[in-house]
Amino acid sequence: MDLTHTPEEVEFRARLRAWLAGVLPALPPPPPPEDWPGRRAYDLGWQRRLYDAGYGDVHWGASPTVRLIFLEETERAGAPYVGACFVGLLHAGPTIAAEGTETQRERWLPPILRGEEVWCQGFSEPDAGSDLAALRTRAHRDGDHYVVNGSKIWTSHAEVADWCELLVRTDPGAPRHRGISWLAMRMDAPGVTVRPLRTLAGSTEFAEVFLDDVRVPVAHRVGAENDGWRVTMVTLSFERGTAFAGEVVACRRVLRELAAEARRTGRWDDPALRRALGGLHAEFRALWRLTQWNVGEAERGGGVPGVTGSVLKLAYSHARQRLYDTAAEVLGAQALDLDRPWVLDRLSSLSYTIAAGTSQIQRNIVAERILGLPKGR
Amino acid sequence: MRDGVRELLARRFGPRELRDAVERPGHLDRGLWRELGAAGFFALRLPESEGGVGLGLPEAVLAFEEAGRALLPGPLVATHLAAGRVPGAAEGHAVVTGPLGGLVEWLGEADVVRGDTAGAVPLRSVDPLTPLHRLPAAGAPDLVAVLLTAAEQLGSAGRTCELAVQHARTREQFGRPVGAFQAVQHLCADMLVRTRTARAAVHAAAVTAGPADVHAARLLADEAAVRGARDCLQVHGGMGFTWEFEVHLHLKRAWIRTRRAGPATESEELMAAALLEKED
Ligand SMILES: Cc1cc2nc3c(=O)[nH]c(=O)nc-3n(C[C@H](O)[C@H](O)[C@H](O)COP(=O)(O)OP(=O)(O)OC[C@H]3O[C@@H](n4cnc5c(N)ncnc54)[C@H](O)[C@@H]3O)c2cc1C
């Protein structure tokens, strides 16, 4: 792993840091979790500012090192999180960049970078969660369109999304993994119905999506017909391998804040708590190194992260939960107050061992695909 | 006693009532409170000569275990401890609260407050079924309160274990129930082991009422309840993360109960110090 930086990279860091110091103080506070239109506007607005300042392309155009510097500096300065732009910037966009045609890249990528369009992910179905290849949403050809019928569940940001990366079954007769296609579907197409679902944190972060004779142009298919499982693996590699990179840096910032808070309240005098924070500090430093390594590895492997993404995803999900459990130790009885910082984050951390593939599934992947152990099912 | 409470709660605080309670935060069902009183829930340990049921801690622990299973809301421990001391408490006519571990539950809804709640500040409670105020300082925990809280935690742990096993049996992925996968089996097995171990500790503490037994019960029951709820959530996948499914209510309540006896470190310190004492 190369930890040295070229003069251009050093210059990029300094320029970005100065820019952030200039714009962040004037930024309004983020809208509350229930205010979805507000959140959409806020998240897109921030992406637009990045774009206008020349930082729009860091996710795909720039070198991995520049992308990592970008993540370090934005997190360190406390810049807004990608939020509603998550799917577009971090896995739908990268999938289109890697697998889409020239026309598709030109159509979909610039609006993501300019903060104009929100994407969501329509993979999971009521009967196809861990067993994603069991998905049953059907698409049959009608001229130059697919007609789609079925339903999706747990679709994050569906309420405010313009586009959905949608997995459909195009050949019900083929073996499960060979009859799937990856489509880009407009969320305002006739026949799309979104029913928001409330999470245990109280807000409606995800939704059920019902698809009733929805027409999707064949030109909106990414990858070949019935080759969607391969494209899906590309999407999941980005989702597990690199999409969390910014959050890993953010966790390091949270750790510093926790230490400062513990010092302020006297909780720092508890040696067990201090050591827990120290242990987490070691872990998150290592996770950041692992992230850097994954991003570099992805670049060498033609842009797509490998199966080692599951290692990061697994370690990070559990570390994040321990981080917020430790935050509760710092807060004491105030950890029961939703108005305190970190309390909602603690609740949402509970989803990390489920979303993007459960920890049990990640362990199966590590055991079978990395270690080569026999398949257990 | 236990069957009586279980039957009463099944009839009066089932899934529908639970959902209604969640949608009306801060509201306590007084009718149910009186029925609990009539069933002897609060007067359980009061001598018959004083109009009580005349039973002891072992029976009280069973009743509180049922309350924990059902997620029964209200200042149950404080009202139980007030029976015979505050008029109306034993009968379920009065709702009584008081400080527990630097917090007061249901302060706005209580008829009587026992103990010093000066400087109480309301907070936005993580648990929709438990309104909370925070106090400037925490007093020493009452041993019976610690034990009854452990009993509630135990009931919650038993319930989340059952829910997880039910789901593991019925939810199919990859053409079989997810409970056929060892990863899921082991989560469920560990839930049972923690619950059984905690139950042994809680029931023993109910007999001896000694500080070491009570604090041991507290530590094990807290662990069984919190980890049980988390593992139950994990076994349910996406559904476990929803507002509609009850597991989050178990987790949030369990978090609150872990604070009632003060920080867990104090119980651990007490257990450590007991190692240096003469063996009992
Ligand atoms: C907050 C959140 C956001 C989400 N956002 C999206 C989204 O935007 N788009 C989208 O498509 N999906 C999304 N998901 C869905 C997520 O990908 C699924 O919940 C996840 O894949 C698990 O599927 P499931 O919920 O059906 O659980 P199940 O697959 O039913 O799993 C139940 C339990 O069985 C275990 N299990 C299943 N199979 C095995 C096995 N072979 N070996 C061992 N254990 C096994 C699981 O680990 C789990 O503990 C989101 C989920 C959450 C919680």
Side-chain angles (χ1 to χ4, degrees), chain A residues 125-132 154 176 198-202 206 270 321 325 328 332-339 343 346-348 350-351 353-354 358-361 377, chain B residues 23 101-103 122-127 132 134 171-176 181 183-184 187 230 233-234 236-244 248 251-252 255-256 259 265:
Chain A
E125 296 181 7
D127 291 322
S130 296
D131 187 11
L132 185 57
W154 320 127
R176 320 184 320 143
R198 219 168 153 198
T199 72
L200 55 69
F206 48 28
D270 175 353
Q321 292 183 349
D325 285 340
Q334 303 202 42
L336 305 172
D337 185 349
L338 288 169
D339 285 333
V343 177
R346 185 189 194 194
L347 287 175
S348 69
L350 296 167
S351 72
T353 48
I354 298 169
T358 69
S359 288
Q360 286 70 37
I361 293 299
R377 314 204 171 98
Chain B
E23 296 318 318
L103 293 162
L123 45 82
R124 198 155 69 89
S125 175
V126 69
D127 176 16
L132 286 175
R134 189 162 53 81
R171 166 71 172 166
E172 291 196 7
Q173 286 289 273
F174 302 97
R176 68 197 60 184
F181 300 115
V184 174
L187 281 176
R230 292 181 76 141
L233 195 158
Q234 183 68 24
H236 280 78
M239 191 181 139
F241 194 66
T242 61
W243 185 264
E244 275 65 36
H248 74 104
L251 180 59
K252 291 166 179 176
W255 278 342
I256 291 182
R259 307 292 322 177
T265 43

Side-chain angles (χ1 to χ4, degrees), chain A residues 13-41:
Chain A
R13 187 189 290 276
R15 188 159 43 85
L16 176 58
R17 190 177 290 188
W19 180 76
L20 287 166
V23 297
L24 288 181
L27 212 63
E34 322 76 68
D35 177 12
W36 264 114
R39 282 171 64 181
R40 177 189 151 99

Side-chain angles (χ1 to χ4, degrees), chain A residues 156-172:
Chain A
S156 306
H157 308 149
E159 270 181 89
V160 292
D162 304 287
W163 291 93
C164 176
E165 45 170 7
L166 184 75
L167 296 186
V168 294
R169 190 160 296 285
T170 33
D171 182 358

Side-chain angles (χ1 to χ4, degrees), chain B residues 114-171:
Chain B
R114 288 177 80 210
D116 183 8
T117 56
V121 188
L123 45 82
R124 198 155 69 89
S125 175
V126 69
D127 176 16
L129 291 172
T130 313
L132 286 175
H133 281 69
R134 189 162 53 81
L135 296 173
D142 173 292
L143 267 192
V144 175
V146 176
L147 178 60
L148 295 179
T149 297
E152 285 184 75
Q153 296 286 58
L154 176 59
S156 172
R159 174 76 180 145
T160 50
C161 179
E162 271 173 31
L163 287 169
V165 171
Q166 253 169 39
H167 187 71
R169 276 187 213 283
T170 48
R171 166 71 172 166

